[in-house]
Amino acid sequence: MASFSMEDFVGTGSLQKLLPKLLDDGWDDVPTLKIMNTEDMTAINMTQAQKDALEIRSYLHDRALMQYADKLEASGKCLAELLNLGTTDLFAQFGMKRGHMARFMDRTSQCEADPMPASFSLPARKPMAPPSRNSSMFKTPSISARPKLQAMSTRSTIAYDATIEQSIADFKIKDGYIFKGIVAALPDEPRACGCIQPPPIVDDVAPYSTVENISVQKLTPEYKIGMERLVKSKTPPMRVSDLWRDKPSLLLCIRRPGCIMCRAEAHKLYSKKPIFDALGINMFAVLHEHIESEVRDFWPRYWGGVVLLDKNMDFFKALGGGSLLKDKFISGFLFNPRARANYKRAKAMGIEQNFKGEGEIKGGLFMVGKGRSGVAYQFIERNFGDWAPLAEVIEVATRLQNHQLNGEESMGGSRDYE
């Protein structure tokens, strides 16, 4: 599976010597680097070989074929020339397996592909207007400046926005999409011919009072080039509401970091980091147990954002309406066709797995508004391996951003201000 480590992404090729420059100019994580366009490359004086290398590596990263990156770059060919090679040449020159050849030659597919809501657009930035009490979080959003790239030239920043907008245009959902609501859970299918009933799920979003005082501990920082892989000194517990004091936050609750389906969801979601950055959304992964070797394998390969420990499992209890959502391996996986389909989907992405740690506690996803505005969205892992629909997550993120820009104090999710 393609790693989010910058060192793994650039490999031993021509981009390696460019790492200090990329760090200085804010291109310091893989999802952001992959959307660099021609103007951005010119702005930092990339050579043609480096431009070709970035194009090749981004293409391979999307298709989970990074094991061939160094060899393909060393060939001196550009991506277009490589795509014109026959299967015999791909095997003889690069040792590419037949199944990998099919994935490499398919120019339309991406392992990360997921539809965007049809209503989503990314207009050009404009100065932030004074807050209006008459505005709604459901109006068309406008995008604020991306903090980490504020030092870049105006031309480069505009090019960055254009690239984001194009990436959205590439992921339009089909007509007739039905938004699943604030509490979204994928439907369950009959298990063992209806003899086994799925565990019940809640219908209401978690009240804000149940999440604002949760205590979490930071296990990793947000990944940047050359930083330490884990937080060296044990950080003290913190109140989780501090995380969304100034910006809305997305919290991905991971059932088990070694699980192939959990890793696939985390990878898919984090690959859209530039979009969430542009919308002003913080991203966090939440674990309910701390196995250091598992955290080290999970970050930053599958998730480059901050990883938090919820030792008391309070987020996971909130997903279940106050109690943990659990399922057994036999009834919840072997007898569950949807869970098995989820496993096959993750397996097709070339992800490794292990069976360390507790794996019966269901996870999910929360999106929480800035300050005390409440829980805007909650997704429950009803079946093992269910993913929050990215179209819905992006849609809610745009509403949160619009809500924040207009200075409103209430929103369409939970309004518990106790």
Side-chain angles (χ1 to χ4, degrees):
M1 187 64 200
S3 171
F4 284 121
S5 164
M6 280 287 284
E7 290 83 355
D8 292 342
F9 180 81
V10 303
T12 60
S14 60
L15 292 175
Q16 192 175 47
K17 64 181 70 173
L18 200 61
L19 282 176
K21 180 65 174 175
L22 293 173
L23 178 61
D24 289 342
D25 281 8
W27 304 99
D28 47 11
D29 60 68
V30 173
T32 305
L33 182 61
K34 284 172 61 180
I35 64 169
M36 181 182 283
N37 61 24
T38 303
E39 291 186 30
D40 298 321
M41 296 177 190
T42 302
I44 61 172
N45 299 318
M46 289 180 68
T47 65
Q48 187 58 50
Q50 290 169 335
K51 294 177 182 178
D52 290 342
L54 179 56
E55 185 180 23
I56 291 170
R57 290 179 179 275
S58 297
Y59 185 87
L60 295 175
H61 194 273
D62 285 339
R63 290 156 179 78
L65 295 173
M66 287 299 289
Q67 63 267 44
Y68 303 108
D70 287 338
K71 289 184 179 179
L72 291 176
E73 181 186 344
S75 70
K77 296 181 174 66
C78 66
L79 179 60
E81 293 172 327
L82 291 169
L83 289 171
N84 285 327
L85 294 177
T87 56
T88 302
D89 290 329
L90 289 173
F91 175 76
Q93 297 180 34
F94 311 111
M96 192 174 291
K97 297 179 180 179
R98 182 171 294 276
H100 293 169
M101 290 180 196
R103 198 189 308 167
F104 178 75
M105 300 302 290
D106 184 357
R107 308 186 190 194
T108 61
S109 68
Q110 293 185 10
C111 289
E112 314 297 342
D114 214 321
M116 293 292 107
S119 62
F120 187 80
S121 61
L122 204 79
R125 287 200 305 268
K126 58 184 179 181
M128 188 178 299
S132 170
R133 302 289 297 183
N134 299 320
S135 55
S136 167
M137 72 175 284
F138 294 94
K139 291 181 180 178
T140 303
S142 59
I143 301 303
S144 58
R146 184 173 188 267
K148 70 187 292 182
L149 295 180
Q150 286 179 343
M152 295 176 62
S153 67
T154 302
R155 179 183 178 187
S156 181
T157 307
I158 292 174
Y160 173 87
D161 283 346
T163 306
I164 289 277
E165 186 172 0
Q166 181 58 47
S167 70
I168 297 298
D170 291 340
F171 292 105
K172 294 295 184 183
I173 64 173
K174 297 179 180 179
D175 293 337
Y177 180 81
I178 300 175
F179 189 78
K180 296 181 177 62
I182 295 300
V183 178
L186 296 178
D188 207 347
E189 296 183 7
R191 304 180 185 180
C193 300
C195 297
I196 299 176
Q197 296 300 317
I201 60 171
V202 297
D203 296 322
D204 299 318
V205 70
Y208 182 70
S209 58
T210 64
V211 300
E212 66 172 327
N213 294 315
I214 292 177
S215 176
V216 295
Q217 188 176 1
K218 186 177 179 181
L219 299 181
T220 75
E222 183 178 2
Y223 174 78
K224 303 296 177 188
I225 303 172
M227 64 169 28
E228 292 293 334
R229 289 299 181 102
L230 296 174
V231 176
K232 280 190 172 182
S233 58
K234 190 175 182 180
T235 59
M238 62 177 293
R239 186 181 177 187
V240 74
S241 56
D242 291 343
L243 299 177
W244 56 74
R245 178 186 301 159
D246 301 316
K247 294 173 64 177
S249 293
L250 180 154
L251 299 105
L252 177 63
C253 298
I254 302 291
R255 177 164 45 85
R256 189 172 61 81
C259 166
I260 188 172
M261 295 174 285
C262 299
R263 287 178 169 183
E265 180 182 20
H267 194 280
K268 179 201 68 170
L269 190 62
Y270 190 75
S271 69
K272 304 301 183 290
K273 179 180 180 291
I275 296 175
F276 290 106
D277 282 347
L279 292 170
I281 307 293
N282 290 322
M283 302 179 72
F284 304 96
V286 182
L287 309 181
H288 60 73
E289 63 179 344
H290 182 197
I291 303 175
E292 185 169 319
S293 61
E294 290 302 285
V295 178
R296 195 178 298 276
D297 289 344
F298 180 72
W299 183 94
R301 181 171 181 80
Y302 303 102
W303 178 269
V306 174
V307 178
L308 304 171
L309 173 64
D310 175 15
K311 189 175 182 179
N312 296 323
M313 306 185 190
D314 291 322
F315 272 116
F316 297 83
K317 293 174 183 175
L319 287 167
S323 58
L324 296 173
L325 286 171
K326 303 185 71 173
D327 217 341
K328 298 295 184 181
F329 175 75
I330 294 179
S331 60
F333 182 77
L334 294 182
F335 291 160
N336 187 343
R338 185 174 292 276
R340 297 198 306 272
N342 290 340
Y343 175 83
K344 292 178 181 178
R345 173 180 60 176
K347 189 74 173 177
M349 295 172 64
I351 295 177
E352 299 176 356
Q353 63 176 322
N354 62 55
F355 297 96
K356 298 178 183 177
E358 205 287 329
E360 295 183 351
I361 298 173
K362 299 289 188 66
L365 182 144
F366 287 100
M367 293 188 71
V368 186
K370 174 185 174 182
R372 293 177 55 82
S373 53
V375 178
Y377 181 82
Q378 175 177 321
F379 178 83
I380 300 168
E381 186 189 18
R382 185 171 189 171
N383 307 281
F384 285 133
D386 282 350
W387 296 352
L390 190 57
E392 295 188 1
V393 176
I394 297 292
E395 181 71 28
V396 173
T398 63
R399 296 177 183 182
L400 282 171
Q401 196 249 7
N402 188 55
H403 168 72
Q404 180 177 340
L405 292 181
N406 287 293
E408 293 183 2
E409 296 178 356
S410 62
M411 59 182 299
S414 171
R415 293 184 177 87
D416 192 327
Y417 298 107
E418 299 176 1

